[in-house]
Amino acid sequence: GDLLSEHPRLARLSLHGNALGEKGGAKVFQGLAENARNGGHLSDLDLAWNQLDGSDAAMALAEVLRISVTLYHLDLSYNNLGPASCQIIADGLRDNHFLYGLHIVGNAATMDADGFLTPVIDSPKASSLPTGDKPQAQQFGDLRQGIDGRLGARSTDASGLGVGAWTDADVLRERDVLEQQTTCWACEGWERLELQWRVETGSPTPKAVWAFTSIDGFRAGLRLKPVEGATPAVFAAARMVPRDGKILAIFQVDSELRTCRHCDLERLPLPVEIELRACEELPILQPEEVVRTELVNV
């Protein structure tokens, strides 16, 4: 903690695998908060494998997330953080617009593609793969293989090193198989994508427009806002997406699901269910039931 508070020019720090525990973690985060208040430049912090669970460490980290404008990448992997600690951290993240990369695998939380942290009551180690025939939204950071399933775990290697001996290649930031592609915008090089709905000439301007994308299984609606001065009217909003990945989208225009006539269409192998959104401008929806769709924009 003292190191961080007294070195404002420190930009990157790796303390992973140091058994800091709750109290040690709290000290580190308190020093980081002081660093941020003093105009520090720390942008990349690795605290994986430190057993940080506990309210002291979680509250100290939440304070950092509220005040730091330089922390860009944070690795909290495999710290055995429980649901209560993860909820405190999630509260600290709520108004943070500067952290672009967070690794949370191996803790009692999942992170969605929009960067929202959700505590889970059951340990991630006990969770199972999705079942059933409904399309499942990927929940990034959900450790479904158990600790023994992580990359790099082995009894010996070519040099004869035993269990617990890790090389740089073994560590791979301790990602398990399901975290080889994460929602860490920094590590995966995610890019900003603007989604637009252009109102056709002569058509009435809708009261509200949302976009649903394949990033989260078409579950979270992104509200598009009117672009000032655009004629005909244009609704737009931006989100982060994986680089060079194919994104599927469908739009809710007032109470109707629509595809964009300027984009290619693709038929999904299975229909998806989309629950229409309401808002102050559109308090009543028709139809009100869940809508199923098969065609989406590419």
Side-chain angles (χ1 to χ4, degrees):
D2 292 339
L3 170 70
L4 283 169
S5 63
E6 296 173 4
H7 289 75
R9 294 200 174 275
L10 184 66
R12 302 182 66 184
L13 179 64
S14 176
L15 294 173
H16 103 213
N18 277 286
L20 294 173
E22 178 191 2
K23 300 300 181 183
K27 288 289 187 182
V28 169
F29 294 132
Q30 288 163 5
L32 181 53
E34 190 65 25
N35 180 283
R37 294 188 186 99
N38 292 336
H41 294 80
L42 189 73
S43 61
D44 189 353
L45 178 62
D46 187 347
L47 286 172
W49 297 92
N50 274 294
Q51 292 293 316
L52 299 179
D53 188 39
S55 60
D56 288 349
M59 288 190 290
L61 173 55
E63 177 64 13
V64 171
L65 296 172
R66 291 187 186 99
I67 66 175
S68 176
V69 297
T70 62
L71 187 61
Y72 182 83
H73 185 266
L74 175 63
D75 194 337
L76 296 175
S77 304
Y78 302 102
N79 272 300
N80 200 32
L81 294 167
S85 295
C86 290
Q87 183 60 63
I88 294 171
I89 296 169
D91 292 341
L93 272 172
R94 185 172 293 121
D95 295 318
N96 183 297
H97 302 289
F98 302 96
L99 187 69
Y100 266 60
L102 174 62
H103 293 261
I104 200 69
V105 66
N107 302 290
T110 60
M111 175 162 285
D112 65 20
D114 292 312
F116 290 104
L117 193 65
T118 303
V120 293
I121 302 302
D122 296 324
S123 169
K125 300 176 188 178
S127 60
S128 58
L129 290 172
T131 59
D133 59 1
K134 285 188 178 181
Q136 297 288 330
Q138 184 177 5
Q139 291 194 315
F140 297 89
D142 186 2
L143 176 60
R144 291 166 174 158
Q145 300 295 327
I147 287 295
D148 292 335
R150 69 183 184 274
L151 290 178
R154 76 258 189 267
S155 55
T156 59
D157 62 13
S159 64
L161 296 175
V163 173
W166 294 76
T167 67
D168 289 342
D170 290 327
V171 174
L172 288 177
R173 302 198 68 82
E174 274 72 62
R175 293 188 188 182
D176 69 282
V177 175
L178 290 178
E179 213 204 2
Q180 282 305 288
Q181 281 194 318
T182 74
T183 51
C184 177
W185 298 344
C187 289
E188 306 300 342
W190 284 39
E191 300 173 329
R192 183 181 183 273
L193 173 69
E194 184 173 82
L195 297 168
Q196 291 187 350
W197 177 263
R198 296 180 175 274
V199 179
E200 296 180 22
T201 302
S203 298
T205 300
K207 298 177 181 178
V209 178
W210 282 265
F212 299 85
T213 71
S214 55
I215 293 292
D216 54 20
F218 305 98
R219 298 191 180 191
L222 174 66
R223 179 79 183 271
L224 277 59
K225 301 295 186 181
V227 176
E228 186 175 353
T231 305
V234 176
F235 291 75
R239 64 164 301 156
M240 300 296 288
V241 300
R243 183 170 48 194
D244 301 326
K246 180 173 68 173
I247 305 300
L248 307 179
I250 190 166
F251 297 86
Q252 176 189 335
V253 182
D254 288 340
S255 297
E256 183 181 0
L257 286 179
R258 303 268 300 275
T259 54
C260 178
R261 62 188 180 91
H262 302 292
C263 300
D264 295 331
L265 291 177
E266 178 173 310
R267 185 175 295 275
L268 296 174
L270 291 172
V272 295
E273 295 184 353
I274 296 178
E275 186 175 355
L276 297 180
R277 301 298 193 261
C279 61
E280 183 178 352
E281 298 85 352
L282 190 68
I284 300 176
L285 296 174
Q286 296 292 336
E288 296 181 354
E289 68 272 10
V290 172
V291 176
R292 298 170 66 89
T293 184
E294 296 181 359
L295 291 173
V296 293
N297 290 124
V298 181

